[in-house]
Amino acid sequence: PPKSLWRTIAAVVLGGQALVRILQGKIHWKNTLDQLNMVGPRSLGVCLLTAAFVGMVFTIQFIREFAKLGLTRSVGGVLALALSRELTPVVTSIIVAGRVGSAFAAELGTMQVSEQTDSLRVLGSDPVDYLITPRVMACMVAGPILNLLCFCMGMGASVLLADTVYNVSCNVILDSAMRAISSWDVITSMIKCWVFGTIIATVSCAWGYTTTGGAKGVGESTTSAVVISLVLIFVFDFALSLLFFSGQGDALKACV
């Protein structure tokens, strides 16, 4: 079959096997903790920095336009909804795909072309248990946590900028945000990042696991894994937003 079809089938099969093993409790804890450290703490700095600047950029745009309409008190609610529902899940997942997904694909691709995965089979170890399941579980666990921290950082940076530059009191921003946002917004945001993290780990591991062609193949697999992960993030973001937020909303009524 064409390589794209073969890799799609491999991603579905490997992702299914990893999820089954997680549900059965067949987890290599040492590898999982190592991968969790890579996905979580080592990615936290760049994620928080990006979230802070995203929050400040949108604060500039919202305050600039809302001030003309006399709706400055609604800025916090709009920011909280935008960050929780769309911006932080997508931005966090994009960073994880670029930083972690590429590493997964390159590492497994190198192991595949150097026949290290075959050596694991000879030693009696299942590559899915030893290599793929820990990476999938690490992304599933760390993704929602990173998303929540990025949301807090984005709101904090927005409040700081609004108070120091535009003379909009932080109490006004936070009060508006608390009245607009609900627990459902936070839950759906974390669900999105959980789905995105699973997609990133599955695609990256599958693309790396099916690498052929030596060093050139490793580079192609890494690039392709990141691109496919980004495309799927946006596709599933649309599908989940349509599922969670279709219909008329009333979140901003309390802020007007």
Side-chain angles (χ1 to χ4, degrees):
K3 194 170 186 179
S4 57
L5 177 60
W6 163 244
R7 281 184 156 172
T8 302
I9 296 172
V12 174
V13 173
L14 291 174
Q17 290 179 337
L19 291 176
V20 168
R21 282 161 170 76
I22 291 172
L23 293 175
Q24 292 176 343
K26 296 180 180 179
I27 301 169
H28 194 288
W29 289 108
K30 183 178 183 301
N31 282 358
T32 302
L33 292 176
D34 290 340
Q35 299 303 325
L36 191 60
N37 180 52
M38 178 181 177
V39 180
R42 293 186 183 179
S43 303
L44 182 60
V46 64
C47 288
L48 293 180
L49 183 64
T50 305
F53 280 99
V54 168
M56 288 191 289
V57 167
F58 275 82
T59 301
I60 294 172
Q61 300 297 334
F62 288 154
I63 288 183
R64 180 173 175 270
E65 300 299 330
F66 278 46
K68 295 179 181 179
L69 302 175
L71 296 175
T72 307
R73 63 183 182 277
S74 302
V75 171
V78 176
L79 276 171
L81 291 175
L83 287 171
S84 63
R85 292 182 179 182
E86 295 298 330
L87 292 177
T88 50
V90 173
V91 170
T92 303
S93 300
I94 289 174
I95 295 171
V96 171
R99 187 188 183 281
V100 178
S102 59
F104 287 173
E107 186 177 356
L108 292 182
T110 303
M111 295 180 70
Q112 181 68 18
V113 298
S114 61
E115 299 181 353
Q116 295 181 47
T117 53
D118 296 332
S119 301
L120 286 175
R121 295 190 187 91
V122 172
L123 294 173
S125 298
D126 189 341
V128 175
D129 291 339
Y130 192 78
L131 299 174
I132 296 176
T133 302
R135 287 168 169 80
V136 173
M137 186 171 181
C139 286
M140 291 170 63
V141 172
I145 297 174
L146 285 175
N147 173 64
L148 186 60
L149 294 175
C150 286
F151 170 71
C152 295
M153 175 58 77
M155 285 301 302
S158 300
V159 169
L160 179 64
L161 182 68
D163 193 13
T164 57
V165 177
Y166 295 99
N167 295 320
V168 179
S169 173
C170 59
N171 293 328
V172 173
I173 300 292
L174 293 177
D175 181 65
S176 175
M178 292 179 64
R179 282 187 282 125
I181 200 171
S182 65
S183 58
W184 175 243
D185 295 316
V186 178
I187 292 172
T188 54
S189 179
M190 298 185 73
I191 291 174
K192 279 187 175 185
C193 229
W194 180 82
V195 173
F196 298 159
T198 306
I199 291 171
I200 292 167
T202 302
V203 170
S204 301
C205 291
W207 260 241
Y209 195 71
T210 55
T211 298
T212 57
K216 182 180 179 181
V218 173
E220 292 176 349
S221 295
T222 303
T223 303
S224 179
V226 174
V227 172
I228 295 299
S229 296
L230 294 178
V231 171
L232 290 178
I233 285 171
F234 289 112
V235 171
F236 276 82
D237 180 51
F238 167 75
L240 291 173
S241 296
L242 189 64
L243 175 65
F244 293 144
F245 304 114
S246 60
Q248 187 174 3
D250 55 358
L252 292 177
K253 284 184 178 180
C255 301
V256 179

